[in-house]
Amino acid sequence: MSCILRKFPRFLPLFLLLLALMAASVQAAERKAPKEGVLLVAFGTSVPEALPSFKAVDASFKAAFPDSPVVWAYTSQIIRRKLAKQDRPVGGISDGLAELARDGVKLVRVQSLHVMPGEEFTELERAVLLDLQKHPGRFEAVYLGRPLLESHKDALRVSKAVLADMGDKRQKGEAVVLMGHGQAHGRADLVFEGTRASFKESDPLVFMATVEGARGFDDLLAELKAHKVKKVWLQPLMVVAGDHARNDLAGDEEDSWASRLKAAGFQVETNLKGLGQVPGVRDVFVAHAKENVDDLTKEPKKQ
Ligand code: CO
C-alpha cells in the first residue's frame, strides 16, 4: 500500500477518506450489534479424566467467539450436586442464561454438546423455552445450536475427523469399535444408524453399537465375527470419555465390552478419547453454534 502511495501521492486524500469511512462503519457496527454470549450445555461429568475434552471444547469456542462470554451449563442435577460438594460448581441452564443476562448479553447462542438429538437435547430445548417464558424480553435473540450429529454432512465430517485422529496407531485390517450412548425408548436410533452408514462408507472396518439403544453389544459381536476381525480398537462415540467409556467400554469388570471381546478371542486396544478431544469434531459444534436458524424468542415465519 505505502509504495502505491509513494508513486501516486494524489491518491493520499482518497486513501485517508477511505480509512475514515472504514473506521466510522466499524464504530457504527459496534454500536448497533447486540452483545453476544455462548451457553454450552452438556449432560456433565464428574470424572476428572473426562475434563480435557470439555477444556478443549471451551478453548475452541473462546477462539471462535473471541468477544463473547462462554458459559457452561450441566443438565445433570446429580453431577451438579457432586461438583458443588467438591467446590467446583457448574450451574444449570437457567443459571447460565442468568449469568449471560447479568453480563449484558442480548444475543445468546445456546449450543448443545449432545452427540445426537435424543432425549437430553429435547429436555434442553424445553428448559431454555421455559426460562424464556419466565423472563420475557430479556434477550433479543436466543439461537439454539443443534447437536453434533443430525445431517448426512455432519456424519461425514465426524467420521472423517475421528478416523483421521486415530492416525497410524491402527494397522491395516484392524477394526475400530465405537460405543454410542443410545436410549432405551429409541430416540436418535435412526440418527445412529445413519451415522453408522457414513462411517462404513469412509471405512468398512468401523463398527458401532450403543449402551442403551437398539443396536447393542450382541449385534456388534456378530458383525465382528462375520468380518473375521482379529484386533479391535475401542473408542467412545461420546463427547467425554467418562463413566461409560471407562467402565462399560474399557473396564476390567467381566461385563465390559473390552472383557467380553477378549473372552470371545479378539485382541483389544483402547483409545479412551472423548469426541471433544478431536479437533474436527469441535469444528462441527462451532459451525452449528454459528448457524442463526432457530431463534427461540421468535415465532416461526408464516409459510
Ligand atoms: Co448414560
Side-chain angles (χ1 to χ4, degrees):
M1 187 57 90
S2 63
C3 76
I4 296 176
L5 287 176
R6 244 197 321 275
K7 271 190 206 152
F8 305 103
R10 62 201 157 93
F11 285 153
L12 186 63
L14 188 67
F15 176 68
L16 289 177
L17 180 71
L18 206 71
L19 274 185
L21 280 173
M22 275 159 67
S25 73
V26 165
Q27 264 178 4
E30 272 173 3
R31 257 201 313 275
K32 259 196 268 159
K35 184 173 175 179
E36 289 192 23
V38 177
L39 181 67
L40 297 176
V41 184
F43 178 76
T45 184
S46 61
V47 183
E49 295 93 322
L51 285 176
S53 186
F54 279 172
K55 282 197 178 132
V57 171
D58 189 65
S60 284
F61 272 85
K62 283 179 177 152
F65 300 96
D67 302 319
S68 306
V70 175
V71 171
W72 282 74
Y74 286 176
T75 55
S76 165
Q77 283 216 31
I78 299 172
I79 288 174
R80 287 211 310 272
R81 278 194 204 118
K82 226 182 196 174
L83 292 175
K85 268 188 207 150
Q86 296 169 6
D87 244 359
R88 37 186 196 127
V90 178
I93 288 169
S94 289
D95 303 316
L97 289 171
E99 191 180 332
L100 290 172
R102 274 197 303 276
D103 213 347
V105 166
K106 286 289 167 197
L107 186 156
V108 182
R109 297 178 188 282
V110 177
Q111 181 55 48
S112 145
L113 295 180
H114 303 113
V115 177
M116 290 172 202
E119 186 180 32
E120 280 167 30
F121 178 71
T122 306
E123 286 173 4
L124 149 66
E125 184 164 20
R126 204 157 71 214
V128 175
L129 282 170
L130 284 170
D131 192 82
L132 295 182
Q133 274 176 24
K134 280 184 204 155
H135 307 277
R138 182 150 82 167
F139 301 115
E140 289 170 27
V142 176
Y143 291 112
L144 180 62
R146 309 294 299 175
L148 180 66
L149 289 161
E150 188 169 66
S151 66
H152 184 234
K153 196 173 138 202
D154 293 339
L156 285 178
R157 280 184 81 176
V158 168
S159 65
K160 240 172 112 180
V162 169
L163 291 173
D165 191 69
M166 276 223 108
D168 308 332
K169 263 196 282 191
R170 170 187 171 214
Q171 303 291 311
K172 212 170 167 247
E174 295 174 359
V176 177
V177 165
L178 298 171
M179 175 192 254
H181 196 288
Q183 281 165 330
H185 51 260
R187 255 184 204 170
D189 270 354
L190 293 182
V191 178
F192 184 82
E193 286 306 318
T195 306
R196 194 170 151 261
S198 299
F199 268 100
K200 277 259 176 276
E201 237 173 77
S202 315
D203 185 330
L205 284 183
V206 176
F207 301 86
M208 288 167 63
T210 57
V211 189
E212 291 175 21
R215 186 174 291 277
F217 180 81
D218 293 336
D219 305 301
L220 170 75
L221 188 62
E223 228 193 325
L224 288 172
K225 281 180 178 164
H227 278 78
K228 307 214 181 317
V229 164
K230 290 193 177 65
K231 183 169 169 181
V232 300
W233 285 87
L234 302 180
Q235 192 171 337
L237 189 77
M238 302 178 193
V239 173
V240 294
D243 193 44
H244 285 301
R246 272 153 222 288
N247 295 311
D248 303 326
L249 182 63
D252 294 329
E253 306 272 301
E254 60 180 36
D255 59 351
S256 75
W257 288 15
S259 301
R260 288 160 82 182
L261 287 171
K262 279 179 201 160
F266 294 95
Q267 262 179 280
V268 175
E269 296 274 358
T270 52
N271 189 26
L272 291 192
K273 209 175 187 187
L275 289 174
Q277 286 163 284
V278 179
V281 170
R282 295 198 295 271
D283 293 344
V284 179
F285 278 124
V286 167
H288 286 189
K290 285 184 174 170
E291 281 168 8
N292 298 341
V293 179
D294 298 318
D295 181 354
L296 298 183
T297 65
K298 315 259 181 336
E299 263 190 61
K301 274 194 205 118
K302 304 267 186 307
Q303 300 288 330

